[in-house]
Amino acid sequence: MERLVAATLKARSANTLWQAWRVVRAMGDDTGEVASRLAACDVSDAEAVDPAFSVDAVVHIAAASAGVYKQHVMEALVHLPYLDEVYQRVYRSLFKGQGICASDISYPEATDAVRAIREQGGVPVLAHPGQMDSWSVIPDLVAAGLKGIEAFHPDHDAESEARALRAAREHGLIVTGGSDYHGRFGAPECVGLRCVGPAEAGAGLQELFEREPVLR
């Protein structure tokens, strides 16, 4: 499990530092040209960008994290919370579509992650399948050892919740949920906005604790 995570974090951090470097290049050596340089790259609200932005500033902000993420780039660049309209416009201009920072990494196969979690006594749960349209992979994940599915999530509407609950019944999975709180890097206002009681989790929850010694 650690090997899978370490390789992913390394790739993520390298990609994010490249993205930060791309922003530095767009800004140019003359900080007086920040607005015009970024405007040429289709970045709106260039006046909100910190002219002192640098790769070092991103690394400093990310120091407390296990990796470097684009949210750290945005923190160093605009110093605004995730829900701010200017933040969202700059973010989309940089990281989406044809943005100069539009780049992603390859991730481990989900079935490999499930197997690794099970090999170490963990309980793998499929996170918010409605957000990523992950429904079709559920049978393969169950075969690999999946034990739960997240039904209650801020990005799940009533249809996604119902579909996740049906999948849980069909495959004998426990039901989980959460607020998906990411501090100033996300939309939920605080942790604990969504709790899941025993009835929602399903009868399999108690059976899971009885069957899995490491959970006792």
Side-chain angles (χ1 to χ4, degrees):
M1 189 68 214
E2 186 173 336
R3 285 195 297 271
L4 285 175
V5 172
T8 304
L9 281 176
K10 182 177 180 180
R12 166 61 62 208
S13 296
N15 185 67
T16 304
L17 292 173
W18 175 85
Q19 292 170 321
W21 173 78
R22 288 280 289 169
V23 175
V24 171
R25 285 198 62 187
M27 293 173 69
D29 297 329
D30 182 354
T31 55
E33 297 182 7
V34 171
S36 61
R37 293 272 185 165
L38 288 177
C41 295
D42 298 323
V43 178
S44 59
D45 300 290
E47 67 278 2
V49 170
D50 187 345
F53 175 83
S54 67
V55 175
D56 285 343
V58 175
V59 172
H60 176 75
I61 289 171
S65 176
V68 188
Y69 296 85
K70 55 183 178 288
Q71 287 81 2
H72 297 135
V73 174
M74 290 298 299
E75 173 72 14
L77 189 63
V78 298
H79 310 298
L80 294 169
Y82 177 83
L83 290 180
D84 186 274
E85 292 183 3
V86 173
Y87 178 108
Q88 285 295 317
R89 287 196 295 268
V90 173
Y91 176 87
R92 288 192 298 269
S93 297
L94 286 173
F95 295 98
K96 300 297 183 180
Q98 300 301 313
I100 60 173
C101 297
S103 174
D104 206 349
I105 64 172
S106 297
Y107 294 91
E109 290 292 334
T111 49
D112 291 339
V114 168
R115 293 189 186 99
I117 292 169
R118 289 302 295 154
E119 287 171 0
Q120 294 185 243
V123 180
V125 175
L126 175 61
H128 42 72
Q131 184 189 63
M132 303 299 293
D133 193 20
S134 307
W135 307 105
S136 63
V137 76
I138 291 176
D140 289 339
L141 296 180
V142 171
L146 188 72
K147 297 300 178 184
I149 186 170
E150 184 178 28
F152 307 108
H153 182 273
D155 288 340
H156 272 189
D157 55 17
E159 181 180 353
S160 292
E161 286 186 8
R163 190 170 182 179
L165 292 173
R166 288 196 301 271
R169 291 192 297 270
E170 178 182 352
H171 297 286
L173 303 172
I174 62 170
V175 175
T176 73
S179 60
D180 203 13
Y181 178 63
H182 287 260
R184 61 187 274 119
F185 300 130
E189 297 179 355
C190 64
V191 69
L193 290 176
R194 186 59 167 94
C195 299
V196 180
E200 290 178 314
L205 181 62
Q206 184 59 39
E207 297 173 5
L208 180 69
F209 273 82
E210 293 172 353
R211 187 173 64 249
E212 307 278 338
V214 72
L215 300 180
R216 296 173 190 169

